[in-house]
């Protein structure tokens, strides 16, 4: 009898394990969103299907803030910039008379965001220009090692959405190339994207500027500037996809109106089968709930309205996601 | 006796075949250049070596014109642009009064190249702006299907250097990511790079501009412009490598002073072992011979002078390459 129950539990364990292994999206509840992802991948990877897509054409693009990790109470890169202002303030006496620095230090986001070029980009210039690309990456690394999210009390790079990490891994396991196409700064995201998302730097597209090459005694360096600032948002996203990747995606994952143009570029009259998905933030208890009136970035009105006619899948975070973050 | 010789020839054939299979660079003559490539790849891929480089860090960058295919009697993209001028002239009456169009049609390269912005870039603007990216790619495709190189009497895309194709394949077989970093236009090169070099569009970096996104009745398009023209040459090459790839290469292959900055960026004080190589055009019989006074682009003076102190390998095309083109 003892032997029998031992065998029974062993069999049960095996079944559970194999079921878990069989589900590539274990953090997703069963429902239309999960099923749509599974169905799309199944059909484009089936060599006997008319909708089969060859591996090199399997390109998937992801927004970052609000799609792969939160963007509240402010985009994480802005939190980094504000912390950098504080850290460097003692060595930058001129900053005391800078109204935007004062607004930033006071947490006065409306003033900072009223005119992006006078406010936000000025802060990004102060904290992200004039140093080498290596210096900047080291500062970002140091910040991730110490800063914590005010609500979740975790390092910011431990706040990737577990269900989306599973989508990334599932797509890659099926021959997709996964790329980030985000309004965030490329140099900021590339510091953690490989480690956190498994996405190498050359597949991370973000807002960007040109550096300046210098051959110093210590060796070659690239100095960060604000030259040719390109904002990788809205219609800039398909523009950047063409400029950096040079081919049309067949799958696109976003969460805001800033992603509408790349959803359109991916899904309208694409000669290949295509897939668009919007993460709708509906879970104030476990994460945040917002669309038309976000606390910071992430406004979602037009893309949500277009979703039914475009066939874009809308994820109801509260209903569709079993968990939000990795334990 | 008959049986014996049969066995003998079979053994001989097997030996020859296995020797050929064992040599990843069969179109290279034995010598220091070939040996340097083999040694570098052997050491960075040996997990027991102190100089081992993990796969994601194995990034190799290649110039295109003069490094992967010829740039004489003019860069192939310029030949395309001139042919496009001729093809479209009947439908573009305004071009008759354009002095640079007239210079181009007369083959007057010195006038075209005297001021790049008034000459060459103007021609590139006329032939490469105002249409969608798909239209442009179709025009390039149609040109490759019909145009032939004046000296070699072959389609231009059948003029890749066989020894360099072997280097590309050898590096990829050893976990390298191979990328083009060229002064040529990205949109032009991406049409053939995957088919000819096995390099996908997202790994083709070239001179580039921004497109404009439009959602038309027929679907989304990107319209080519000359906005934010970036010339991917000289110090622009390391700048573009950072912007597009976000990590430092460990191997760099060029042929002109336009590649000097990216050779420096790759090889000077790189924390990883690194490799630089210059293709020196020394073979007037089989290809071309030039360095300080090229017929078109490809001037090679400073990089050649720096090669010994930087440890860059200089390929003597005449001596090092068994063949130039695939048969």
């Amino acid at each position: 009898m003892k032997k029998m129950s031992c065998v029974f539990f062993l069999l049960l364990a095996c079944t559970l394990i194999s079921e878990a292994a069989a589900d590539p999206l274990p953090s997703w509840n069963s429902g239309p969103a999960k099923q749509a992802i599974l169905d799309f991948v199944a059909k484009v990877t089936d060599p006997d299907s008319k909708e089969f897509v060859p591996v090199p054409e399997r390109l998937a693009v992801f927004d970052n803030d609000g799609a792969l990790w939160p963007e509240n109470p402010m985009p994480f890169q802005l939190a980094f910039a504000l912390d950098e202002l504080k850290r460097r303030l003692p060595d930058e006496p001129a900053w005391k008379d800078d109204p935007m620095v004062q607004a930033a230090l006071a947490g006065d986001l409306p003033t900072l965001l009223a005119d992006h070029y006078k406010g936000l980009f000025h802060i990004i210039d102060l904290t992200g220009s004039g140093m080498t690309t290596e210096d900047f990456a080291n500062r970002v690394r140091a910040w991730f090692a110490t800063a914590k999210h005010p609500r979740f009390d975790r390092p910011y790079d431990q706040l990737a959405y577990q269900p989306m990490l599973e989508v990334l891994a599932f797509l890659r396991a099926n021959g997709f190339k996964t790329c980030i196409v985000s309004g965030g700064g490329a140099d900021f995201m590339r510091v953690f994207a490989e480690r956190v998302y498994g996405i190498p730097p050359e597949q991370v597209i973000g807002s960007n500027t040109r550096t300046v090459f210098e051959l110093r005694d210590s060796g070659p360096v690239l100095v960060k500037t604000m030259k040719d600032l390109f904002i990788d948002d809205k219609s800039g996203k398909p523009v950047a996809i063409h400029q950096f990747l040079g081919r049309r995606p067949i799958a696109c994952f976003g969460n805001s109106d800033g992603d509408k143009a790349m959803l359109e570029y991916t899904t309208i009259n694409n000669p290949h089968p295509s897939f668009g998905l919007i993460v709708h933030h509906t879970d104030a208890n476990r994460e945040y709930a917002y669309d038309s009136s976000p606390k910071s970035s992430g406004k979602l009105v037009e893309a949500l309205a277009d979703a039914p006619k475009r066939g874009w899948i809308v994820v109801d975070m509260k209903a569709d996601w079993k968990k939000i973050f990795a334990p």
Side-chain angles (χ1 to χ4, degrees), chain A:
Chain A
M1 189 64 194
K2 233 179 184 174
K3 226 180 222 167
M4 279 291 282
S5 57
C6 216
V7 168
F8 172 78
F9 282 111
L10 214 77
L11 280 172
L12 182 70
C14 284
T15 310
L16 289 172
I17 288 165
S18 96
E19 262 176 18
D23 181 359
L25 303 175
S27 300
W28 289 71
N29 287 314
S30 297
K34 177 175 183 171
Q35 200 55 49
I37 300 169
L38 295 172
D39 290 348
F40 177 72
V41 171
K43 78 178 174 190
V44 299
T45 56
D46 173 6
D48 297 328
S49 160
K50 270 188 186 170
E51 306 198 87
F52 176 76
V53 177
V55 167
E57 303 282 333
R58 292 183 203 158
L59 176 63
V61 291
F62 291 79
D63 175 51
N64 183 40
D65 295 315
L68 293 179
W69 72 5
E71 56 193 321
N72 270 327
M74 65 179 81
F76 295 178
Q77 186 174 0
L78 183 55
F80 161 75
L82 299 188
D83 284 349
E84 278 290 282
L85 283 183
K86 285 176 207 150
R87 183 181 71 81
R88 289 174 50 197
L89 192 64
D91 301 320
E92 303 282 355
W95 288 6
K96 278 179 191 147
D97 302 318
D98 185 322
M100 287 302 159
V101 172
Q102 293 311 315
L105 293 174
D108 176 5
L109 290 191
T111 298
L112 272 190
L113 301 177
D115 177 337
H116 273 197
Y117 282 85
K118 284 185 189 160
L120 182 63
F121 299 158
H122 175 60
I123 298 301
I124 287 173
D125 184 12
L126 292 180
T127 56
S129 284
M131 71 288 288
T132 68
T133 51
E134 285 199 10
D135 284 348
F136 180 77
N138 286 333
R139 291 174 195 197
V140 175
R141 249 176 237 119
W143 181 75
F144 274 115
T146 53
K148 285 193 175 176
H149 189 278
R151 174 172 163 194
F152 299 112
D153 195 36
R154 286 186 184 201
Y156 286 93
D157 53 5
Q158 291 177 24
L159 290 170
Y161 299 138
Q162 179 61 25
M164 294 305 286
L165 293 179
E166 292 166 7
V167 171
L168 286 169
F170 177 51
L171 290 176
R172 287 195 292 260
N174 282 281
F176 279 76
K177 185 168 270 192
T178 54
C179 297
I180 289 175
V181 179
S182 161
D187 285 348
F188 179 80
M189 293 187 289
R190 283 168 169 175
V191 172
F192 64 86
E194 191 156 33
R195 179 169 49 82
V196 174
Y197 302 134
I199 299 182
E202 63 271 23
Q203 288 162 225
V204 175
I205 301 165
S207 293
N208 60 80
T209 57
R210 311 268 193 219
T211 56
V212 172
F213 178 71
E214 288 179 17
L215 187 50
R216 297 182 178 170
D217 289 343
S218 58
V221 296
L222 293 163
V223 180
K224 281 173 68 67
T225 76
M226 287 293 274
K227 222 177 93 192
D228 289 338
L229 171 66
F230 178 76
I231 305 298
D232 185 28
D233 197 28
K234 300 196 171 86
S235 64
K237 293 202 175 197
V239 169
I241 289 170
H242 175 75
Q243 186 177 22
F244 283 77
L245 302 175
R247 80 168 111 217
R248 209 163 156 188
I250 63 165
C252 177
F253 300 78
N255 74 299
S256 78
D257 290 345
D259 304 315
K260 181 169 158 268
M262 76 167 170
L263 283 161
E264 290 166 346
Y265 184 54
T266 302
T267 62
I268 300 177
N269 290 1
N270 193 325
H272 284 311
S274 62
F275 182 85
L277 182 148
I278 295 170
V279 174
H280 191 190
H281 293 258
T282 53
D283 194 333
N285 283 331
R286 295 185 300 168
E287 203 246 7
Y288 298 96
Y290 60 94
D291 43 39
S292 59
S293 307
K295 280 176 212 165
S296 63
S297 54
K299 186 172 176 175
L300 174 64
V301 176
E302 293 170 20
L304 196 59
D306 281 0
K309 81 171 167 193
R310 301 296 185 206
W312 300 334
I313 305 301
V314 177
V315 170
D316 178 341
M317 191 183 261
K318 191 173 178 176
D320 285 323
W321 286 3
K322 230 175 255 175
K323 54 177 124 173
I324 308 287
F325 306 116

